[in-house]
Amino acid sequence: MTAKQIRVMVLNDMEKLDRTLFRLEQGFELQFRLGPTLQGKHVHVHTNYPTEGERFERYKFRVLGWINPTGREDDSDKFCTLDLKISGSYQYYFGHGDKEKSGGGYIVVNPVLRVGEDNHVLPLDCISIQTYLSKCLGPLDEWLDRLRVTKEAGYNMIHFTPLQTLGESRSCYSLADQLELNPDFSPPGQTYTWTEVGSLVEKMKNEWNMLCITDVVYNHTAANSKWIKKHPECGYNLVNSPHLKPAWVLDRALWHVTSAIADGKYKDRGLPALIQNHEHLHAIRGVLWQDVFPKIKLWEFFQVKVEPMVEQFRTLLQSGAKSDRSKTEGKQQLKIIQDPQFRRFGNTVDMNSALETFVPHGSSPGAIEDCCNWLRRRLEELNGEQYHEIKHHQEQATNCIADTVSYERLADHGPKLGPVTRKHPLVTRYFTFPFEEATLEQDLELMNQPEKSCHFLAHNGWVMGDDPLRNFAEPGSNVYIRRELICWGDSVKLRYGNGPEDCPYLWAHMQKYTEITAKHCVGVRLDNCHSTPLHVAEAMLAAARSVRPNLYVIAELFTGSELIDNVFVNRLGITSLIREAMSAGDSHEEGRLVYRYGGEPVGAFLQPSLRPLVPSIAHAMFLDVTHDNECPIQIRSVYDSLPSSAIVSMACCATGSTRGYDELVPHQISVVSEERFYSKWNPQAKPSSPAEVTLQSGIIAGKLALNRLHQELASKGFNQVFVDQVDEDIVAVTRHCPSTHRSVVAVCRTAFKNPKHHRYTDEVPPMCIPGKIEEVVLEVRTVERQADSYKKDERSINGMPGYTVEIKEHIQLKDSKVVRQAGVTSRGRNEYVQEIVFEQLTPGSVIAFRVSLDPKSQELVGVLRHHLIQFNPLYKAGSLPDPNTPDILKSPLTQIMSKMTLADMNILMFRCDAEEKEDGGGCYNIPSWKPLKYGGLQGLLSVMADIRPQNDLGHPFCDNLRQGDWMIDYVSNRLISRGGTLSEVGQWFQAMFAYLKHIPRYLIPCYFDAILVGAYTTALDVTFKQMSSFVQNGSSFVKLLALGSVQMCAVGHFPALPPLSPALSDVPYRFNEITKQKEQCCVSMAAGLPHFSAGIFRCWGRDTFIALRGLMLVTGRHMEARNIILTFAGTMRHGLIPNLLGEGVGARFNCRDAVWWWLQCIQDYCTMVPNGTDILQCPVTRMYPTDDSKPLTAGTVDQLLCEVIHEAMERHMQGIEFRERNAGPQIDNNMRDEGFNIVAKVNPDTGFVYGGNQFNCGTWMDKMGESERARNKGIPATPRDGSAVEIVGLCKSTLRWLVALHKLGLFPYNSVTIHKDGKQLSMSYEEWDRKIQQNFEKMFYVSNDPNEKHPELVHKRGIYKDSYGASSPWCDYQLRPNFPIAMVVAPELFTVEHAWEALNISEEKLLGPLGMKTLDPDDMVYCGVYDNSLENDNYNLARGFNYHQGPEWLWPIGYFLRAKIYFAKKLGKDTYDETVYLVKNVLSLHYVHMERSSWKGLPELTNENGQYCPFSCETQAWSLAAVLEVLHDL
C-alpha cells in the first residue's frame, strides 16, 4: 500500500500565479496552507473544483473549510484540502478580511487514460502516438488495413486530423460542416455516420490496445460553409465589425490590382503578370503609392469634416454655452472621437473640451470668430496627425505585400506560384466577396448596403510575433489594414463575442461539434490553439469533459514564452504540449530536449509523500516531426530518421511521429494538397510495391522496437534520465529505475548531414557504462538495399524503397556487431564499470544496453532497502531479505532510541563546533564548501533539506559523499565513541553504512539521505514523547521551538554546573574516565550558539532563567529545571546569583536582575509542575554560605531552598553594597574602577528595588564601551541605574507569590528583618507588596500630569518609564521594550487602559519583523545596525556601543505579545480576536525563519527591520523560549 500523495500549496498575500503551472494526478490530495503574510488573518480560500457528485461549473466557486489538527495556538499547521478525483483545470483564489481576492492561480489535474478490453491504465509517459491526415485514409472499410501499419509499428495512439466534411480548398483544417462526417469516407452507395466511426474506434481500443484522438478547430470555418452564409453574424463582417471597413476597402483595391496585372494593364509600367525580380517588386510599390492609396483615401475614415464642426462650435459660442468641467475633469485635451460606424469623415470632437480649450475674450463677433479660427487650425492639425498615422499603416502594408509576393513567387523555399492570375492573386484576399465582379467604385458602394456588406467576412490566418492573448480581428488591432496577417484564404475567422448571448448560433453549433468529437475520441488536439479565444476554448472543453471526464487534451503553442504557454495550459487544462525534435539544430540540442521534457536525474532523492507543490513545466508530447512541418529527410538526411527517433523514444514523456516518417516518405505530406492514400499493411509485400508496407519498409522494424522499449520504460518506473553528449553526433540517453536500479542506455549516432556527402569520423570514443550489461536490447541501423529508386506514386503515399533497417534484438554482448569489445574495469572498490569500444556505430545507428548493478551491489541495495522499510513502505519495491542481518539491525531503530535521554538527543541531533571541540572533535567540514553547523544529524539534515527538493546532485555535499566515505564514517564514529545508548545508535548507523559503502557511488547520496531522514524522524518522535503534552499535541511550530530545548540543554565534557547537595535524590551521575570518580552530570543551558556554547561562557544566570520557563518548564523537563534552579541557588553570594556562572568558582556577581529572574522561575516551577512547591524544601548546598567564605565542597553546608529565597529578599531590604573580587582588568578589561562597585537596595518609601551607578550595567542591556578612539571605553551605553522597570515588576511578582505561599503554610516567612543604625526593623512581605502597588503607576506612568517631575524630559506620553530615579534623569523617559516584562509578571501594577495605550505605542514604534527595537527610533541616539567590529570616532556607534540602542532583540517580543494577549482579554472579545491575529502574524515570521534557518533556531537579535546581523548568535535560548511561551499563552 503506497502512502497517499499530498502536495502542499503555500498561499502568500498578493501572489497571483495565473502563469505558473501546477500539475497533479488524480488521487492526490492538495492542501492549501498559510504563508507568513497570511497567518493570523481571516483567510478564505475559494475554488471551482466541484464537490463530489456535482457538475463542474467554471464560475461557481465554493469556500473550503479550515482544518487545524493541533487546535488553535498558531496557524503553522492549519490547512484546507481538496481530494483530486476529476481531471481538468481548476481555479482557486483567496482573500482575507474584506479583500475578496488577494491571490490565486490554477491547478491542472491529469486525466487517466484506459485501453484494452480490461480497461487497463495507459500512463501518459507510455503514449506513442502517430498522426494521420484523415482524408488520406480512403473509405472507412479500408481504414483498418491502413491503420494496421501503426499497430504493427508499436504505437498505442492515433491522432486523426478532423474527420468532418472539408471545405473546397481540401485543407484538412478548413471544415465546411463541423457536424457531418466527411462523405469521402463512405464508398459509393453507402452513407457512413459517426456511429460507424465510433465502432471502429472502440474496436481498435479493445482489440489493438489503441486509443484515438482528433483535432477540434474553433477558430475558423471553410469559406464555403453553407451555415456561415445563413449566419454571417458568426464571422467578422462590415456590419458587426465596422472597424474593418478601411481594411476591406484596401483589400478590394488590391483585388482590382490583381485583375489589372493579370490582364497585362501594368506591363508598360514594368509590372508583368510573371513577377521574376526585385524590379518587379519595386513596380508593385509604385502602383500602390501612385494609384491605390491616393484613390481609396483611407485616411478619410479617421478624420473629421472641419467646417461643420466649426459651425457647430460657433453656434454654441453665440448661444453663450460654457464647458461642463465635471465632464472633462479639467483635462483640456481636444481629441478626435472615432465614429463607431467608420464612415468617411464621420468622426467628431467633444464640444465640451472645445469650449474649455478655446475660450473667447468676449462675446463680440470678432472674439467668437478668433475662437473658431483657433479651433479650425487645431482640427486641421488633428486631421494631419491622422493622415500621418494612416501613412505609417500604408508603409507597413506595402512592406508586407512586397514580402508576401517575394516569398510566394521569388523565394527558392517558397511555393513559386507563377504568373499573377485570378486563381493565384497578387496577395491572398483578406475578405470573402460572394458577388459578381464589377469596378472598384461599384464594389465600394456595397459597403453601405448592410444586407450585402454582412457577407464580406474576414479570413483567418496568423500574425508573426503577435500577442497570442489578443484577438487580432477585434477593434484596436490594425493587423488587417497593415496587411500583417498571413492569411488562409479558404477559411473565415469566427466571431464568438464575449459569450453565447453575443452569437447564439455559433456557440450552440460549436458545442454540438465538440460533444460529437468527445463522444467518439478519448482526446482532442486544439488546432491553432494560440489564437483560439481562451474563453471559447474553456467553454468548449468544459462541454467535452461533461461528455468524457478523462479527456486528453494536447496542443501546439507558438507563443514564444513559457509563461504565456502556461496561461493556455492553466485555463484550458491542456494535458500535453506538442514539442518537436526537428526544432533542434544539432544532436546536442536534441539531447537537451530529452532532459528538459521529463524525468528526474539518475540517483535522485526519494521525495516524501507529503511535500510542497512545486511549479512544473507542461507535460510534453515529444514528436520526431509534426504532420504540418517540413520533412526531416529534406532538411537532415535519410540516415538521421532512426537515431533521432531513438533519442525521442528515450524521453520520459509521451512521444510520437507522423505517418510517412517511418516509411521514409522524402517530402512533406501536405495537409492542403495531398490527395493520395496511405499504403496498407501487407507482411508479404515487395519493397517496390508503393501501395503496401511491411516490417522491412523504411525504419518500421526499428520503430517497433523503440516504441516497445519506450512503453516498457514508462510502465516499469524508469523515471530517471541522464543525457550524455558523447561527441558532436553521438547522444547517449540513460533511463534508470530507482527501485530496481536497472537502466537502459541507448547510444544514438545522429546523421544530420548525409554520410554520402559529409565525412564522418571512424573514431568513435569508447564509453564507460556503470554496472553490468545484461543484454543488448536492440542494435539497429539504417542500410541501403537493392530496390528501385524512389518515384512518387500517383495513388499511394510511398516511401523510399532503397532503405531498410538491420536490427537485432535481445542479444548477448558477445554477439553484437556494433561493439568490438567490452572490458570490465573497476573504479574503486565498488565501482563496477564496463568499457565499451565500438566497431560499427555508423551514422544512423542505435544500440541500447540493459544494465543492472553488479550482483553484489544489487544484493546490497536490496538488503538496504529492506532495512529502510521501517521508515517508508516505498522501499518494499526492490528490497531483499537479509540472511545475515547484524544483531543491531534486528530490532527497529525506535526501540534502540527509546532508551535515550534528551541529553543524549542533544548529542545525536545538535552540538555546534565549539561544543564538539570541547570533546576533542569538531563539526564535519566539506573541503570545497564549508563546515556544517552541527556535529549531529541536524547539521546534515539542514543541508539536505535544501538539496533534496531540487535534486541538486551537483552540490559539494553530494560530491563529498560520492568521492569517499569520510562523512559516512564521521556520522557513525562520532556516536560510537560516546558509549551507552548513543554508541548503540552509532553501531546501527555503522551497520547500515556497511551496505551503503558497497553500492555504486552515484547512488550513495540518495541512500545516505534515506538512512538519515529515517533516523532523524525517529529521533524526533522519541524526543517529543519525552516532552509535555503541550509539545506532543502541539503544532509543527511548537515542536520546532521545543527542539530548541534539546539544542540548548546539554551535558558537556566538563560539568558546567557546580555539584548539587549529595542529600538530593534523582541527580544524574556518570563515571569520569580521567579522575576514575563518579561525578554529577546535570544538564546545563547554553545562552546561545555558537558564541555562548562551551567553556566558562556557556552558562549565564540571567539568560538561563529568562529561558528556563519556556525551554524547560513548558516542554516538561521538570527534573532538569529543578537541578538548574538548585545549582544556582547554591552559588548565591551577597544575596545575588551570578551573571556569568563560571562553574561557581569563577562567578561574577555583577548583575542586579538575575536573582529576580531566578525567583520568577522558582515561582513558575511551583505553579506549573505537579507538586511543584516541594522544591521549596529541597536541600541547597551553599558554595558561599557567607559573602567572604572560600568556595566549599558539596554537602558541607546545606540549607532549604525556602531559606535561600528569604535570604535574597532580606539582603535586598538590608541593602547590598560590595566591590567585586579581583576588581580590575583581570576580570574586565573595559570597566572603570567605579564600575566594580555593586549596589542593590530597596527604597523604603516606594518598595522599589534600585541600584547600580553610571559606570556599570546591572540589567540585560549590558553593553560596556570598548573604544578608546571614540572615548566610550569603560562607559556603559545603557547603565539603567535607579529602579529598572522589569526588576520592579519581577520583585512585585515574587512578593505577591510569597505572601500567598505563606498564607497556604508553604513558606515559613512573612516578613524581612534588617538592622539599621543599631536598631532591628522589620517589614512584612504584604506591606512591601502594597508599597510597590501604591507607587508604581504614580511613579512610572508618563501621563499628562502637570506635576510631572521633569516635564522637559518627556518625549512621549502614554508610556511607562524604562526606569525610575536614574542618575541621568532623561534615561527614565526613554521608550524601550522592558515595561511589557513587568506587565506579564505583575499585571496587577497596571491599569488596563494605560497598559493598552502603552502597548499600542510600543507596537507602532518598537515592533520589528522578528524582534523589538531596543530604543525608540525617535530618540536622538537610536541606531538600528549593530557592528561590533566598527572602530571609528563615533561615540554612539564605535565597537558596537549601540548594542541595545536600536537593534531588534527577539526575546522582548515574547513579553510584548504576552502582555498584549493578557490585556486584550480584559478589553473584550473583539480586541482579543484582533490581538490573536496580530500575534499569529508576528509569529509566522519566526516560524518561517526557523524553517529556513540551517541552525533551526531564532537569533539573538537582528538589525533594523529584521535585517540579518552577522554579530548575533544564530540561535539564542531566550529567543526560542520567549516565542514558545507566547504559543503556550495562546
Side-chain angles (χ1 to χ4, degrees), residues 1173-1405:
T1173 50
D1174 292 357
I1175 194 173
L1176 300 172
Q1177 301 303 314
C1178 282
V1180 172
T1181 188
R1182 294 294 297 267
M1183 192 176 249
Y1184 305 108
T1186 65
D1187 291 349
D1188 298 318
S1189 63
K1190 292 267 181 285
L1192 302 181
T1193 54
T1196 312
V1197 175
D1198 275 11
Q1199 264 180 305
L1200 297 183
L1201 178 62
C1202 58
E1203 293 168 18
V1204 184
I1205 293 170
H1206 183 62
E1207 181 184 326
M1209 303 301 286
E1210 212 157 54
R1211 293 296 296 272
H1212 276 81
M1213 185 57 84
Q1214 178 69 54
I1216 297 166
E1217 207 163 346
F1218 67 94
R1219 184 168 171 81
E1220 279 197 83
R1221 281 161 191 76
N1222 305 320
Q1226 61 272 32
I1227 64 166
D1228 195 323
N1229 196 25
N1230 296 306
M1231 182 93 81
R1232 295 200 181 180
D1233 188 65
E1234 305 94 315
F1236 294 106
N1237 300 330
I1238 308 297
V1239 174
K1241 300 182 177 181
V1242 176
N1243 181 316
D1245 300 328
T1246 61
F1248 296 169
V1249 177
Y1250 70 93
N1253 64 44
Q1254 66 200 63
F1255 296 106
N1256 62 28
C1257 24
T1259 73
W1260 77 276
M1261 292 184 159
D1262 56 358
K1263 178 67 182 180
M1264 180 59 75
E1266 299 173 34
S1267 171
E1268 287 180 0
R1269 178 174 162 187
R1271 298 181 303 286
N1272 66 24
K1273 187 177 168 93
I1275 299 169
T1278 42
R1280 300 188 70 230
D1281 57 344
S1283 298
V1285 65
E1286 76 277 19
I1287 295 180
V1288 175
L1290 288 161
C1291 174
K1292 173 70 176 72
S1293 171
T1294 303
L1295 289 164
R1296 181 192 65 231
W1297 170 60
L1298 293 178
V1299 169
L1301 275 183
H1302 180 72
K1303 284 181 180 163
L1304 293 170
L1306 295 169
F1307 188 71
Y1309 309 99
N1310 67 350
S1311 60
V1312 286
T1313 304
I1314 60 166
H1315 298 276
K1316 200 162 189 188
D1317 306 329
K1319 288 190 202 140
Q1320 184 170 312
L1321 305 170
S1322 88
M1323 185 190 287
S1324 73
Y1325 282 136
E1326 276 195 71
E1327 190 186 343
W1328 187 358
D1329 179 68
R1330 195 163 48 248
K1331 284 189 174 184
I1332 299 178
Q1333 184 70 44
Q1334 286 165 354
N1335 288 290
F1336 182 82
E1337 185 86 7
K1338 211 161 41 184
M1339 307 293 194
F1340 273 91
Y1341 185 61
V1342 184
S1343 65
N1344 298 317
D1345 184 355
N1347 302 323
E1348 179 61 59
K1349 199 169 170 188
H1350 295 288
E1352 74 285 356
L1353 298 177
V1354 174
H1355 193 274
K1356 283 191 172 53
R1357 297 190 183 275
I1359 64 168
Y1360 286 88
K1361 294 174 188 169
D1362 188 54
S1363 54
Y1364 177 77
S1367 53
S1368 304
W1370 55 273
C1371 292
D1372 286 346
Y1373 293 88
Q1374 289 181 309
L1375 173 62
R1376 293 186 185 273
N1378 294 310
F1379 67 79
I1381 301 167
M1383 288 179 171
V1384 171
V1385 296
E1388 69 274 13
L1389 290 174
F1390 298 82
T1391 62
V1392 174
E1393 291 69 24
H1394 288 170
W1396 193 248
E1397 184 189 3
L1399 286 167
N1400 286 340
I1401 293 168
S1402 279
E1403 183 179 331
E1404 184 197 339
K1405 289 292 175 187

Side-chain angles (χ1 to χ4, degrees), residues 9 72 184 245 280 295 321 336 435 462 617 693 986 990 1016 1066 1093 1114 1162 1185 1261 1373 1409:
M9 161 90 75
R72 48 181 289 254
D184 298 357
K245 283 179 184 173
H280 294 160
K295 187 172 185 181
I336 288 183
F435 301 107
W462 64 285
I617 63 165
V693 295
Q990 194 174 48
Y1016 179 76
D1066 300 322
S1093 58
V1114 168
I1162 302 172
M1261 292 184 159
Y1373 293 88

Side-chain angles (χ1 to χ4, degrees), residues 528-601:
N528 202 22
C529 178
H530 54 281
S531 51
T532 303
L534 271 167
H535 65 291
V536 174
E538 265 179 339
M540 296 304 157
L541 288 175
R545 287 189 175 105
S546 64
V547 174
R548 185 180 291 274
N550 277 301
L551 185 75
Y552 182 51
V553 182
I554 66 168
E556 191 167 11
L557 290 172
F558 299 98
T559 68
S561 151
E562 197 170 290
L563 288 179
I564 297 178
D565 281 0
N566 287 348
V567 173
F568 284 88
V569 175
N570 276 338
R571 297 254 320 251
L572 307 181
I574 295 170
T575 320
S576 307
L577 283 185
I578 296 167
R579 311 291 192 180
E580 194 185 23
M582 278 303 294
S583 66
D586 55 31
S587 68
H588 177 68
E589 176 63 11
E590 206 159 71
R592 195 189 69 78
L593 294 178
V594 171
Y595 188 72
R596 171 119 180 92
Y597 293 140
E600 301 180 323

Side-chain angles (χ1 to χ4, degrees), residues 161-205:
T161 59
L163 303 166
Q164 287 77 5
T165 309
L166 301 180
E168 60 189 354
S169 71
R170 299 283 297 157
S171 162
C172 292
Y173 289 97
S174 180
L175 308 183
D177 189 340
Q178 285 74 10
L179 308 183
E180 205 176 88
L181 186 67
N182 189 338
D184 298 357
F185 301 157
S186 304
Q190 267 184 303
T191 307
Y192 285 143
T193 64
W194 291 110
T195 310
E196 284 76 23
V197 171
S199 306
L200 183 88
V201 166
E202 194 61 21
K203 181 182 169 73
M204 286 160 62
K205 171 184 175 278

Side-chain angles (χ1 to χ4, degrees), residues 282-320:
H282 191 65
I284 292 171
R285 288 176 182 271
V287 168
L288 293 174
W289 284 101
Q290 289 152 30
D291 297 19
V292 177
F293 297 144
K295 187 172 185 181
I296 58 179
K297 298 188 170 68
L298 295 183
W299 51 87
E300 293 180 353
F301 289 98
F302 302 91
Q303 291 180 332
V304 292
K305 223 177 180 81
V306 175
E307 284 315 315
M309 283 292 125
V310 174
E311 280 314 307
Q312 191 184 341
F313 183 61
R314 179 179 282 115
T315 308
L316 284 170
L317 289 180
Q318 287 167 344
S319 69

Side-chain angles (χ1 to χ4, degrees), residues 48-268:
N48 57 3
Y49 185 89
T51 46
E52 204 157 346
E54 295 228 339
R55 273 196 60 187
F56 167 70
E57 289 178 51
R58 180 164 310 285
Y59 300 107
K60 184 179 169 186
F61 284 81
R62 62 190 172 100
V63 178
L64 298 177
W66 288 103
I67 300 164
N68 200 343
T70 58
R72 48 181 289 254
E73 72 266 351
D74 64 270
D75 286 353
S76 60
D77 288 342
K78 190 165 114 174
F79 66 91
C80 43
T81 179
L82 280 179
D83 257 330
L84 303 173
K85 293 176 179 169
I86 326 163
S87 76
S89 153
Y90 303 101
Q91 206 175 345
Y92 70 91
Y93 69 86
F94 58 90
H96 52 85
D98 50 5
K99 276 168 87 175
E100 175 64 11
K101 287 188 183 178
S102 58
Y106 291 84
I107 54 164
V108 176
V109 183
N110 284 333
V112 174
L113 302 180
R114 295 184 178 275
V115 71
E117 273 189 296
D118 59 350
N119 249 357
H120 63 272
V121 172
L122 175 66
L124 298 182
D125 291 344
C126 277
I127 291 172
S128 306
I129 193 170
Q130 192 171 41
T131 297
Y132 276 80
L133 307 189
S134 303
K135 65 177 181 178
C136 299
L137 277 164
L140 206 57
D141 308 349
E142 300 175 15
W143 278 28
L144 286 177
D145 292 337
R146 296 196 164 94
L147 297 174
R148 189 168 191 108
V149 178
T150 302
K151 173 184 182 288
E152 299 297 338
Y155 294 93
N156 54 23
M157 188 178 276
I158 288 175
H159 160 228
F160 295 113
T161 59
L163 303 166
Q164 287 77 5
T165 309
L166 301 180
E168 60 189 354
S169 71
R170 299 283 297 157
S171 162
C172 292
Y173 289 97
S174 180
L175 308 183
D177 189 340
Q178 285 74 10
L179 308 183
E180 205 176 88
L181 186 67
N182 189 338
D184 298 357
F185 301 157
S186 304
Q190 267 184 303
T191 307
Y192 285 143
T193 64
W194 291 110
T195 310
E196 284 76 23
V197 171
S199 306
L200 183 88
V201 166
E202 194 61 21
K203 181 182 169 73
M204 286 160 62
K205 171 184 175 278
N206 292 334
E207 294 177 18
W208 289 6
N209 289 338
M210 178 91 67
L211 296 177
C212 299
I213 69 170
T214 185
D215 286 277
V216 280
V217 186
Y218 293 129
N219 256 318
H220 51 256
T221 190
N224 66 318
S225 298
K226 287 182 182 146
W227 61 270
I228 197 89
K229 291 186 172 61
K230 286 188 198 157
H231 293 279
E233 77 279 3
C234 296
Y236 289 87
N237 60 47
L238 301 194
V239 176
N240 64 21
S241 306
H243 64 282
L244 293 174
K245 283 179 184 173
W248 178 82
V249 168
L250 175 57
D251 195 54
R252 286 316 296 155
L254 291 172
W255 172 257
H256 285 278
V257 170
T258 287
S259 305
I261 295 172
D263 297 343
K265 290 183 183 168
Y266 285 116
K267 216 170 180 175
D268 54 344

Side-chain angles (χ1 to χ4, degrees), residues 248 252 256 295 433 435-449 452 456:
W248 178 82
R252 286 316 296 155
H256 285 278
K295 187 172 185 181
F433 188 78
F435 301 107
E436 292 294 313
E437 227 176 281
T439 65
L440 177 60
E441 290 70 24
Q442 289 168 316
D443 286 355
L444 297 189
E445 281 168 24
L446 301 177
M447 185 167 61
N448 302 317
Q449 300 170 27
K452 291 191 172 159
F456 303 147

Side-chain angles (χ1 to χ4, degrees), residues 422-490:
R422 284 169 177 77
K423 189 183 175 194
H424 293 300
L426 181 69
V427 282
T428 306
R429 289 201 288 200
Y430 273 13
F431 295 86
T432 59
F433 188 78
F435 301 107
E436 292 294 313
E437 227 176 281
T439 65
L440 177 60
E441 290 70 24
Q442 289 168 316
D443 286 355
L444 297 189
E445 281 168 24
L446 301 177
M447 185 167 61
N448 302 317
Q449 300 170 27
E451 73 286 353
K452 291 191 172 159
S453 64
C454 70
H455 292 289
F456 303 147
L457 298 163
H459 288 307
N460 197 17
W462 64 285
V463 183
M464 190 95 75
D466 194 37
D467 175 2
L469 299 175
R470 185 188 75 154
N471 185 336
F472 56 73
E474 292 287 345
S477 162
N478 295 307
V479 161
Y480 283 87
I481 194 171
R482 289 162 68 86
R483 303 294 296 188
E484 289 168 335
L485 185 72
I486 294 159
C487 180
W488 303 322
D490 59 350

